[in-house]
Amino acid sequence: MKDSLILNALLLSYSKIFFSENKITGVFILLATFTVPVMGLCGLFAAIFGNGTAYCIGIDRQSIRQGLYGFNCVLTGLAIGFFYGMSIKFFILLSLLCILLTFLTLFLNNLFYQHLGFSAMSIPFNIITGLALLVGQLFTTIHPASAFKNLQWPYHFPVPIETFLSAMSTILFQGNILSGILVSIGILFY
């Protein structure tokens, strides 16, 4: 893949989570996922792998560049990273999920565009992640995640602001104020 395609696909995969097509927004959301470094790594791996899969199977380059095949992978990577601990088997599972997610996104987007006139949005993420969590209980070799070390915001805001920021970060499975601040800054750029 060309460098600009890779960078655009990566950053717009993150910004699409919040219905944005802004690379600066994507940078802030990417940074927000790394307030829990383990989960940030899972989301980044999933974005790269999902976009790479879309590229390898010949999906329209413009759709990849716009992040249409990466944002569901980012969400799945964050969700699976939230529930399961990292290991080689974890990354094999996440890779398989990203491949399935790419094909399901392609299928559902075509189906929805033909019959309804819009994309499948995050439906592929919901289906694949839901199934992975159900089936994941059968795998005794993939262990639940232990407590995460995350970067904390050292200052306090009034309760309504902290609640808002925490809610913004929860979309990324983070649940901390610093992540919410980064997401909010990214959305302000958009």
Side-chain angles (χ1 to χ4, degrees), residues 61-75:
R61 302 300 184 247
Q62 187 61 26
S63 296
I64 297 169
R65 180 177 285 109
Q66 291 174 340
L68 295 175
Y69 288 89
F71 82 95
N72 281 311
C73 290
V74 171
L75 288 171

Side-chain angles (χ1 to χ4, degrees), residues 14-50:
Y14 281 87
S15 71
K16 280 281 189 210
I17 295 169
F18 289 91
F19 307 102
S20 164
E21 288 190 23
N22 184 297
K23 288 182 247 178
I24 294 172
T25 300
V27 168
F28 278 100
I29 294 169
L30 172 63
L31 291 173
T33 65
F34 275 93
T35 60
V36 181
V38 170
M39 289 176 55
L41 181 63
C42 293
L44 182 60
F45 174 83
I48 292 169
F49 198 87

Side-chain angles (χ1 to χ4, degrees), residues 100-128:
L100 288 171
L101 194 54
T102 302
F103 282 103
L104 183 62
T105 302
L106 178 63
F107 171 73
L108 289 178
N109 276 343
N110 287 334
L111 183 71
F112 277 47
Y113 275 125
Q114 273 185 340
H115 298 288
L116 302 172
F118 57 86
S119 73
M121 295 184 243
S122 65
I123 292 172
F125 153 72
N126 290 313
I127 292 170
I128 294 295

Side-chain angles (χ1 to χ4, degrees), residues 137-150:
Q137 296 174 10
L138 302 174
F139 294 111
T140 57
T141 57
I142 298 177
H143 303 289
S146 57
F148 294 114
K149 293 188 177 192
N150 58 8

Side-chain angles (χ1 to χ4, degrees), residues 8 81 93 145 159:
N8 283 334
L93 173 65
V159 173

